[in-house]
Amino acid sequence: MIAGSLARRYARAVFAIGVEDGSYERLGREIAAVADAMRASDTLRDALTAPVFSRAQRRAVLEKVLERLGASRTTRNFCLLLIDRERIAALPDIARELAAMIDDKAGRVRAVVATAVPLPADVEQRLRAALEKASGKTVHMTKQVDPSLLGGVVAQLGDTRYDGSLRTQLDRMRQALVK
């Protein structure tokens, strides 16, 4: 089975449970926390996925992680199901798919905004307002500083990329002059 399809199927299942009991936002945060822990620690990821460890050992490690994170019973049961079905390695992909479903239900979209220098607060607010107007949704913005842009802004809003960087404008001018 294709990994994305598997992740979507599990994400849809846990999302449906969360919608049913009104806890989909909390479930998303908890599952993202477990996935982040797996991404951040090669040791943890190996302990949960390596076949050299018995399923009981992997469950015990996961239960300790879930306890430390203060995960709900639903999140605990879901993650243990993934261990039992040898699917825990897909948890980061499941968390990503689940986050997209939650954002869609909540009317949010994620944007990654790159600038050459940090944006002043008023410019950031105007940019957020413009992105919200373009998407028709509430924008959750992640900011990055990339000095190679020289100036301007590059915004990735869902699948759409808005590139107003000085670097791109100079490249376009260079290409036009070469032709």
Side-chain angles (χ1 to χ4, degrees):
M1 177 175 291
I2 300 170
S5 173
L6 173 80
R8 270 188 297 284
R9 189 167 62 175
Y10 278 102
R12 267 195 304 268
V14 77
F15 180 70
I17 291 167
V19 167
E20 185 177 303
D21 66 11
S23 65
Y24 63 92
E25 293 270 6
R26 180 179 45 80
L27 283 174
R29 284 190 303 272
E30 290 176 354
I31 290 171
V34 179
D36 289 346
M38 285 179 66
R39 278 194 283 281
S41 171
D42 292 337
T43 304
L44 175 60
R45 187 176 51 253
D46 290 345
L48 295 176
T49 60
V52 70
F53 299 112
S54 72
R55 185 171 293 147
Q57 290 171 316
R58 288 183 277 151
R59 280 179 67 94
V61 168
L62 182 58
E63 286 191 32
K64 289 289 186 190
V65 169
L66 294 168
E67 181 182 321
R68 178 163 284 184
L69 293 174
S72 66
R73 191 173 125 236
T74 304
T75 299
R76 180 185 175 281
N77 290 343
F78 177 70
C79 291
L80 292 174
L81 173 78
L82 293 176
I83 283 281
D84 291 342
R85 293 200 176 164
E86 302 292 338
R87 303 284 196 202
I88 195 70
L91 187 62
D93 294 330
I94 294 167
R96 184 189 68 243
E97 293 290 335
L98 181 59
M101 291 175 192
I102 291 168
D103 285 346
D104 189 50
K105 177 142 178 80
R108 288 188 304 250
V109 66
R110 295 182 186 273
V112 177
V113 175
T115 57
V117 295
L119 290 175
D122 64 323
V123 174
E124 181 181 327
Q125 288 299 86
R126 289 194 336 249
L127 178 59
R128 182 184 312 275
L131 292 173
E132 287 177 351
K133 184 178 178 183
S135 68
K137 297 182 176 187
T138 302
V139 172
H140 175 73
M141 203 161 64
T142 303
K143 299 168 285 196
Q144 299 174 341
V145 175
D146 182 359
S148 73
L149 296 177
L150 302 178
V153 176
V154 177
Q156 182 77 32
L157 183 64
D159 293 336
T160 306
R161 183 178 175 94
Y162 299 98
D163 192 340
S165 68
L166 183 56
R167 162 79 63 211
T168 298
Q169 292 174 20
L170 290 172
D171 287 344
R172 286 182 187 149
M173 287 173 60
R174 183 178 317 121
Q175 290 173 358
L177 292 172
V178 170
K179 289 183 179 180

